[in-house]
Amino acid sequence: MDHRTPTTRSLAVALGAPDPSTRLRAAMAAGTQPGPGLVDDLVARFGVEPDFFVRDMLTWALTRLPAEVTVPQLVAALESDVPQTRSQALHTLSKVADRAAWPSITAALLHDDAEVARAAWRAAVVLVPPGEETALATELSTELGRGDLEVRRSLGRALAALDDAAREALMRARSHPEPEVRAHAEATLRLLDDPDSDFAHEVDLATTTRNRDAPC
């Protein structure tokens, strides 16, 4: 039996409406008058919602609820077979900012799906417990050289957000046998020292410098 109120049931239906503006308004209403009766419906939309702005509003609506209500559902969503569900759950956990989710976030740091991994990196630097920043940086540094420029930019920003806790791992990576890892580490060190620098330019510069200095 559905014990939700008529309003909650109506919002649940609207969250699946064909019109994205209707879905957006429903998610906004769910956050404006938050209630636990819509948590399942909001999380269920993660994997099927095609509109970025609606997904962002789903996250906002969930942040309006107590963490003890949302975090278990979000952690459960990390077991989904749908990458978009996992990445949106990680994004939402970073906004809820409850460290009870920390073990589940670390389990996703090396995920095969780039979007899931990127979301995990961003969440990890927000939720890392005090004193574990260096260990996190060491683990993240194993992903240096992965993916395209956008993936590398995400990892670079995550490492730079850890500030000096990431410096030692990045310095070690400068001697890695793979040139792409070395260039990524070099560009990230420059980003750490100058957060406003152009990461793409720094990658190109690091790659050019490394190639120029390589033995013939």
Side-chain angles (χ1 to χ4, degrees), residues 14-87:
L15 286 170
D19 180 19
S21 62
T22 300
R23 301 196 303 273
L24 184 66
R25 287 195 299 271
M28 185 181 299
T32 302
Q33 296 181 315
L38 275 173
V39 172
D40 288 347
D41 300 283
L42 292 166
V43 174
R45 288 299 304 172
F46 281 179
V48 296
E49 177 53 59
D51 189 281
F52 169 82
F53 296 104
V54 177
R55 291 200 304 272
D56 211 38
M57 193 60 70
L58 295 172
T59 287
W60 175 77
L62 286 162
T63 64
R64 301 272 293 160
L65 290 160
E68 59 267 24
V69 173
T70 57
V71 169
Q73 295 289 79
L74 294 168
V75 168
L78 298 181
E79 300 300 320
S80 171
D81 293 331
V82 181
Q84 183 172 292
T85 296
R86 290 189 176 202
S87 60

Side-chain angles (χ1 to χ4, degrees), residues 79-98:
E79 300 300 320
S80 171
D81 293 331
V82 181
Q84 183 172 292
T85 296
R86 290 189 176 202
S87 60
Q88 193 68 28
L90 286 161
H91 172 65
T92 307
L93 285 167
S94 75
K95 299 299 183 182
V96 174
D98 188 317

Side-chain angles (χ1 to χ4, degrees), residues 142-162:
T142 66
E143 296 285 83
L144 288 166
R146 173 180 175 175
D148 60 17
L149 178 62
E150 288 308 309
V151 172
R152 296 183 189 189
R153 192 196 310 272
S154 292
L155 182 59
R157 286 174 173 168
L159 284 162
L162 294 171

Side-chain angles (χ1 to χ4, degrees), residues 180-203:
E180 290 190 350
V181 174
R182 297 196 300 268
H184 194 177
E186 189 75 49
T188 304
L189 280 166
R190 292 173 180 168
L191 185 64
L192 196 155
D193 292 328
D194 180 9
D196 294 325
S197 63
D198 182 335
F199 184 79
H201 171 72
E202 296 297 350
V203 170

